[in-house]
Amino acid sequence: MPKPAELTTLGISAFKSIALQPALPAALLILLDRVPREMLAHFIDPAKLHYYLGTPQARNVLKIFLALGVVRLVNRWLSAAALNNWSFSTRSTWHWQSELAVVTGGCMGIGRSIVDGLVARGVQVAILDVAPLPEDLAKISTVKYWKCDITVPDEVRAAADDIRRRIGHPSILINNAGIVNSTSILDTPDEFLKKIMGVNLMSLWYTTKEFMPNMILKDKGHIITVASMASYVAVPTAAHYSATKSGALAFNEALKAEIKHIHRAAGVLTTSVHPMWVDTNLTAPFGDRIRKTQGKMLGPEDVARPVLKQIFSGKGGHVFAPAETSWISVVRGLPSWMQETLRDVAGKDSSAMYKNEH
């Protein structure tokens, strides 16, 4: 049986795909008002159409959905333009076989799926990871690997210098590497707290400081920050993870503003990525609990696919996986009592299961 979160996502998806498509209510209104009944008779019973949809109440509902659909389309268009420095141009300066992408944590999980997609389009890839390079990736000439602890600035700097010396300046930076654990605030070891802050948050500064200057110089680049849906809704028993992913979102927003107003480099794009829980080696220890409370988990390819689509669009933006969960981003704007109610719903089951596990 689907979980409440799954049912909510399915309902929102159906509403967006049917009710909020302005073409449908517009077509029905045209059929009612503009098409002669004798012409309609070739396709549909005009009497039934007017009986069900021709009443003033039904027409008003169609007009409301038409208006909502148009507002939604305009809103999406304006949002896309705003996230790209108010550029409405579709002209692309990207030539994928000439581009170089740096991917942190590219040896497994989401990062590996992103690397596969980049390679398929001819993009050269430099992987920074502490995990060993898989044998199949080592056989691909356009993939290079640097063993690098991205929580150590000197290691990032050394790897960046070597990348620039050996294969050039990257035009794409994908800050993907991340770790997660399930511990309460009181049970979180100090060393793990330092580690997760370093991997999920502090490393964003280290890699961006190394690779963004040349992007600014050329007025061309794309920095992708893989955050989480936890950027918007704190996860019980994972305060450390939620804090780092909220920080990642804030980093992306501040980075965009600095690129625009300090560096005046409109050609340097930013994208933040917000997936729900993903089935990887990192989440395996508590994956059963997630599935029991949240439903089916995403696969790495489910996140990589929209990320790659965003990259190859040549535009910056916000990526949600699955796309239907974008509504969660409005939670912070709700009244406090509504926010707390949602947190209570999310927290009760997971906290109870956490206590049972410990």
Side-chain angles (χ1 to χ4, degrees), residues 30-47:
I30 290 171
L31 287 176
L32 288 167
D33 297 331
R34 303 297 182 201
V35 180
R37 291 199 175 200
E38 56 271 18
M39 188 179 295
L40 276 177
H42 293 289
F43 309 100
I44 191 172
D45 184 347

Side-chain angles (χ1 to χ4, degrees), residues 39-329:
M39 188 179 295
L40 276 177
H42 293 289
F43 309 100
I44 191 172
D45 184 347
K48 288 185 177 180
L49 178 67
H50 282 266
Y51 177 79
Y52 289 109
L53 298 176
T55 65
Q57 295 85 350
R59 287 173 183 270
N60 288 336
V61 170
L62 289 175
K63 291 176 181 178
I64 289 171
F65 280 125
L66 174 59
L68 289 174
V70 170
V71 169
R72 176 172 175 260
L73 288 179
V74 172
N75 176 67
R76 292 174 65 180
W77 182 67
L78 289 173
S79 293
L83 291 170
N84 289 276
N85 299 313
W86 294 106
S87 170
F88 296 91
S89 172
T90 58
R91 184 174 60 87
S92 175
T93 60
W94 296 88
H95 306 285
W96 303 115
Q97 294 185 351
S98 302
E99 309 299 341
L100 169 60
V102 169
V103 183
T104 66
C107 289
M108 61 182 66
I110 297 171
R112 169 61 196 266
S113 292
I114 292 175
V115 169
D116 289 340
L118 292 170
V119 168
R121 288 290 293 268
V123 179
Q124 193 168 11
V125 178
I127 296 175
L128 303 184
D129 209 328
V130 292
L133 184 68
E135 292 183 5
D136 57 337
L137 282 182
K139 297 176 182 177
I140 301 175
S141 62
T142 55
V143 174
K144 300 295 185 290
Y145 166 79
W146 279 261
K147 185 174 182 179
C148 176
D149 183 345
I150 58 173
T151 68
V152 181
D154 287 343
E155 289 197 29
V156 175
R157 191 174 302 113
D161 287 340
D162 202 34
I163 290 170
R164 287 187 283 261
R165 182 171 58 252
R166 289 175 56 188
I167 53 180
H169 289 275
S171 53
I172 303 168
L173 170 60
I174 304 175
N175 285 313
N176 161 77
I179 60 174
V180 64
N181 202 346
S182 178
T183 56
S184 70
I185 291 173
L186 295 181
D187 293 334
T188 302
D190 293 342
E191 286 306 310
F192 180 77
L193 190 59
K194 293 178 183 177
K195 183 177 181 180
I196 194 171
M197 292 293 174
V199 175
N200 292 8
L201 189 57
M202 298 302 295
S203 68
L204 305 180
W205 272 262
Y206 306 150
T207 56
T208 301
K209 286 167 68 176
E210 286 300 322
F211 297 116
M212 191 173 74
N214 189 258
M215 297 181 188
I216 294 171
L217 183 65
K218 295 180 178 178
D219 195 20
K220 175 187 173 183
H222 198 162
I223 299 174
I224 295 95
T225 303
V226 179
S228 168
M229 205 59 76
S231 301
Y232 300 102
V233 180
V235 180
T237 70
H240 40 59
Y241 181 78
S242 301
T244 59
K245 293 306 182 179
S246 295
L249 174 59
F251 174 86
N252 177 76
E253 292 172 343
L255 179 66
K256 178 181 291 296
E258 290 189 9
I259 289 171
K260 185 188 301 182
H261 299 292
I262 295 178
H263 305 298
R264 308 286 182 178
V268 180
L269 312 172
T270 67
T271 292
S272 64
V273 184
H274 304 276
M276 296 291 280
W277 288 110
V278 184
D279 191 0
T280 66
N281 291 338
L282 293 175
T283 57
F286 47 93
D288 288 342
R289 189 200 322 160
I290 295 173
R291 281 182 283 269
K292 287 179 181 178
T293 57
Q294 303 294 324
K296 183 180 178 181
M297 298 173 70
L298 299 174
E301 66 284 353
D302 296 321
V303 182
R305 195 179 303 113
V307 171
L308 291 164
K309 182 179 179 181
Q310 189 70 50
I311 292 171
F312 294 133
S313 74
K315 297 289 185 180
H318 292 309
V319 173
F320 295 90
E324 294 78 16
T325 57
S326 61
W327 66 272
I328 295 178
S329 64

